[in-house]
Structure formats: C-alpha cells, structure tokens
Amino acid sequence: MLAKCYSGALYGVNAQTVEIEVCAASGSIQFTLVGLPDQAVKEAKDRVITAIGNSGYKKIESNVTVNLAPANVRKEGPIYDLPIAAALLAATGKIECRDLADYALVGELALSGEVRRTLGILPIVLEMRRIGKKGILVPADNAAEAAMVEGIDVYPVHTLREATDFLAGRLPLDPLREDPNLLVEAGRDTGEDFADVKGQVFAKRAIEVAVAGGHNLLMVGSPGAGKTMLARRIPSILPPFTVEEALEVTRIHSVAGELKGQQSLVVQRPFRAPHHTVSDIGLLGGGTHPQPGEVSLAHRGVLFLDEFPEFKRNVLEVLRQPLEDGHVSIARAAAACDFPSRFMLVAAMNPCPCGYADDPKHLCRCSQRQIAVYRGKISGPLLDRIDIQIGLPPVAYHELIDLPPGEPSASIRARVIAARQRQRARFAGIPGVFCNADMRSRDLARFCKLDPDAQNRMRILLQSLDLSARAYDRVLKVARTIADLAGSDNVTDNHVAEASAYRELDRNYWN
C-alpha cells in the first residue's frame, strides 16, 4: 500500500517542497530510506519505529520503502520524523486517512512519541502555503511561530498519537490563529532613549540623518566620548517594522535558531554587535551547510562594529559585497545559498591605538607611524561605502553637569518616520529601492537634481576632499535625506553643505 504527505527542505532561508512517499509491501521485514538523506534523516528509521510502538500501535512487520522526493535535494535534520511516521501508519493500514496528501507535517519525534521543537518552521510554512496545502501539523512549541503565516491552517500537535488521530478524523483540532499586527505594535519600545545622552549635538544629528536615509555611519572619538552609548540607542529611533519586514527577519532568525524561548515573531529591528574576534564565516555566514551570519541576522536592522580597526582585515573586507548588494551569496560543495543582508552599518573606533590622538586633555603615546598603520586597517573601498563619517570630541564636564536631558527618542523617531514615508512614496514601484541609501546611479540622476548653488558646492567638495565617484554619489544620497528631513522636494546648497560636513574625516584622517 502506498501513502504520501508533504514537508519541506531548508535551502538557506527558504524552503523547498519535499514529498514523502511510503510503500509497505509483504515480504521480509526491512526499512529502506532513499532520497539523499543525511545521517540525521537516516536515523529516523529507529526513532519512527520506536515512537510508533510507544504510541500504542502494533509493531510494523512489512517491507517498507520511504522515498523523499525530489531525490537530488539533500534532506537534513530530524524534521521528517513526523511525516514519515504518519505516512507509514497510513501505508500499513493502521490509520485511515484519505486526504493525507493534502497536509504537510514537520517535527522531530522522541522515542516516547512526543513531537519536539525544530528549527526553520517559518520558511517551510510559507512554502506549504505557496503550493496550496490545506494545513500543516507542527510541534506545539513551534505553533505560534508558524501561525504568523496567513492563508494556511496551522495545527499544533504534542504527540504522534495526537497527530494521527487528527488525520484519521478521530480527534478534532482547531487551527491556531495569531495576529502578527498586534505583536509588531506591542514590540516597539526598546528601553534605550537619546534623552539620556548629554552633549554630542552634532553626532546625534548625524545619527538622525543616517537612520532617516538608511546610511552607513562611522564614529571616531576618544574613549568615553559616547560612541557606544549613542550606537546602542539607534534602535530607539528606527522606523517600526511592517508585518512583511517582521516575517522576513523572523525567517532568518528561525533558520539560525535565534528565536528565544516561546518567541514567535521578531518585532524589533535587529541590533547585532559581534565581538572584534569574529571570523569571516561568523560575520558573513557559511559552514559546510551554509547558515546565516551576523550580516544576515542584522537584516533590516543595525550591525554595530565597535573597535572597528581591531577586526581582522579579511573579516572587514567581506563586508563590501553585502554593503553594496544587500545580499550575500555563499557557495559550498553541499549547497549554494543566498542570504538577505540589507542592514545599516554603524562602526566606532578610536583615532589612534591609545585612543587620545584628538583629546586635548590626554597625552597621545602613539607615533605617527603607529597612527597611520592603525587607521590604514580600514581600506579605502570599505570607507567609500560608509556614507557618514564623523568625529566625536570628548564631552566636557560642564555638559554633563549643567545641560538638561537631550531630546527624547520619540521626537527624533517621528522625524525619521516622516522622512521614510517621503522616500517610500518616491520609490514606489522601483524594485529593490526602499530608502535613499538604496538608490542607484540612474535614481540619483532622477531624484537628486541640484540647483546651481548646490552644484557649485559639490564641485568644490570634490576638489577639496578628492572623493571617489562612489563617495560623491553617497554625499548626494545624504543630501537627499537631509532634504527629506526638512520636508523639501529639492536638494539645495544648505543640504549639500551639511552632507559635506559628514565627510570631513576624508580630509582629516584618511588622506
């Protein structure tokens, strides 16, 4: 007798349909599993047979062949235990389920028959919805995550017996319903606030511009200037997630096993801050079977690299592709995967190895050669991809004592959201462009037209800073964002002047 159902195979952050076919025939008792399974899938034989026995079903005494199709796609992990067990029980006549093929099943089985939590549920549910399945049975611990997808019924199951009784029509189960809009709305408070930051007015304005346009940012300053404090408050002024963005980010975190506890949806924009000892694989992603790295886990959020020059040179250089393209392509012998990585890079560094090259109150102990070597760890091509580069002076004592609290994040965020809304309206219908930082050359010519005064200032800027063509484009993008914050349709001389102020380090540090 033949029975089949459906599941999915993870392919990067996406899933591919897998058809589980089970044929049970008379003859010598054996269990054959084919379809390019890895070791964990091969071991499903022992888990499934034992779980079936411990779920109250009689011992399987047939010649069983299990095929996981398509045969050219590698099947990994224990997620096929539940669908194999259900199809096996149907093929051997132990349950009657005429519409088994209308369902998808995902889950690892314990020897007791309990259905255990697995990784990567969300991409599989999205794939099952795409192919039109009636419903999907998932581990109860994954059900809230799976229910974020509308258009397919999600049934949480705790045991193999519960799943088979439902499929056989002996146990009614209600599909789980969740409203992702409520979760996204409830998760907007980050806890950090720019009101805590005194002084550094220029830096806070630069951060506002960076967030409003999605621009990359580099802060240079001596220890204690507030670089890390400012960076960790950036999430508090990021525009809120849309449900589509939240699902996109959750899919990545689900595959990477980054969802914490009973978390079903990532509702706050990611803020990733890897240590400077991270490897290129840890940052970019990879491995024998590619997994997302920090640049993908920061997708639609912030990647903060503190002590920027302390990262290994080869680690920093791998940032160039994701910063330019918004995705990472990783090719391995086992698979080639593409991971989204559209993030805002925020980097912080000292001006020299000891940290006090620009501090009027501390003596710098570094030689000019040491300073040049230290700053030279950041390559020109990587710097060209950082739109805003600013220096942070030390905060004076009177600023800490006398100044009132700074402007709250809520006020800054309101201006950021208004600027982003202008950008969304401007770029509607242009694929791949969501904010000013995403604009391509042809978009610049269309949306960043300069008046004569602004053109003259840009010409002077090019000559004085000796900017590359890429850096010139990025100054234009920043000027466009400043105009958006001001509610202006045109990019004027004042907007270009402010944008040029955010490239002063090109002259003072790198040239």
Side-chain angles (χ1 to χ4, degrees), residues 93-401:
K94 300 187 184 302
I95 62 171
E96 294 184 5
C97 182
R98 295 181 181 179
D99 57 351
L100 178 61
D102 293 334
Y103 288 93
L105 298 91
V106 179
E108 176 186 353
L109 289 177
L111 298 184
S112 63
E114 177 189 358
V115 182
R116 290 176 169 167
R117 181 186 182 93
T118 61
L119 303 180
I121 285 290
L122 191 58
I124 295 174
V125 177
L126 289 167
E127 173 65 9
M128 294 303 103
R129 182 185 68 175
R130 186 190 68 80
I131 65 173
K133 292 291 108 181
K134 180 189 295 185
I136 180 169
L137 280 66
V138 302
D141 288 341
N142 290 113
E145 175 190 343
M148 293 297 108
V149 181
E150 298 178 344
I152 184 171
D153 289 335
V154 174
Y155 298 95
V157 292
H158 297 84
T159 64
L160 171 62
R161 188 77 194 203
E162 185 179 5
T164 54
D165 283 351
F166 167 73
L167 293 170
R170 296 192 295 266
L171 175 68
L173 289 178
D174 294 324
L176 183 64
R177 309 290 186 194
E178 294 283 355
D179 187 352
N181 293 283
L182 296 178
L183 293 177
V184 169
E185 185 65 31
R188 292 182 177 178
D189 183 16
T190 64
E192 304 281 5
D193 200 293
F194 271 98
D196 304 329
V197 182
K198 294 186 177 182
Q200 299 296 8
V201 176
F202 178 72
K204 287 189 280 189
R205 170 62 178 176
I207 289 172
E208 178 182 340
V209 173
V211 174
H215 304 290
N216 301 318
L217 170 70
L218 171 63
M219 296 181 287
V220 182
S222 56
K227 303 184 295 296
T228 302
M229 185 178 188
L230 286 165
R232 293 196 176 277
R233 279 155 179 75
I234 289 177
S236 69
I237 63 172
L238 289 170
F241 260 150
T242 64
V243 172
E244 292 75 16
E245 287 176 324
L247 287 172
E248 187 180 5
V249 172
T250 303
R251 182 171 60 179
I252 300 171
H253 286 242
S254 175
V255 169
E258 290 284 323
L259 295 182
K260 309 299 182 184
Q262 297 299 314
Q263 183 183 15
S264 59
L265 191 70
V266 178
V267 294
Q268 294 179 352
R269 292 189 181 271
F271 182 89
R272 306 291 300 188
H275 192 261
H276 62 257
T277 57
V278 68
S279 67
D280 53 351
I281 290 179
L283 191 65
L284 195 67
T288 305
H289 303 292
Q291 287 288 302
E294 291 291 338
V295 297
S296 295
L297 294 171
H299 182 62
R300 301 295 183 192
V302 174
L303 177 67
F304 177 48
L305 302 183
D306 203 1
E307 306 297 341
F308 201 33
E310 300 299 334
F311 287 80
K312 295 178 182 177
R313 178 68 176 263
N314 65 302
V315 172
L316 292 180
E317 291 306 305
V318 301
L319 286 171
R320 287 158 63 173
Q321 185 208 359
L323 285 175
E324 195 72 20
D325 302 333
H327 66 88
V328 174
S329 298
I330 299 174
R332 296 289 185 269
C337 299
D338 192 87
F339 296 111
S341 57
R342 195 173 295 278
F343 58 91
M344 176 184 168
L345 173 65
V346 178
M349 60 180 284
N350 295 327
C352 67
C354 78
Y356 296 110
D358 297 330
D359 194 321
K361 296 184 179 181
H362 294 82
L363 178 65
C364 176
R365 303 186 301 271
C366 306
S367 67
Q368 289 299 317
R369 176 174 174 77
Q370 288 175 317
I371 294 175
V373 170
Y374 180 77
R375 295 175 182 175
K377 293 179 181 179
I378 315 300
S379 69
L382 181 56
L383 282 170
D384 267 354
R385 290 168 169 83
I386 300 178
D387 308 15
I388 297 177
Q389 303 169 19
I390 59 171
L392 273 68
V395 180
Y397 175 78
H398 73 85
E399 291 182 307
L400 293 175
I401 301 301

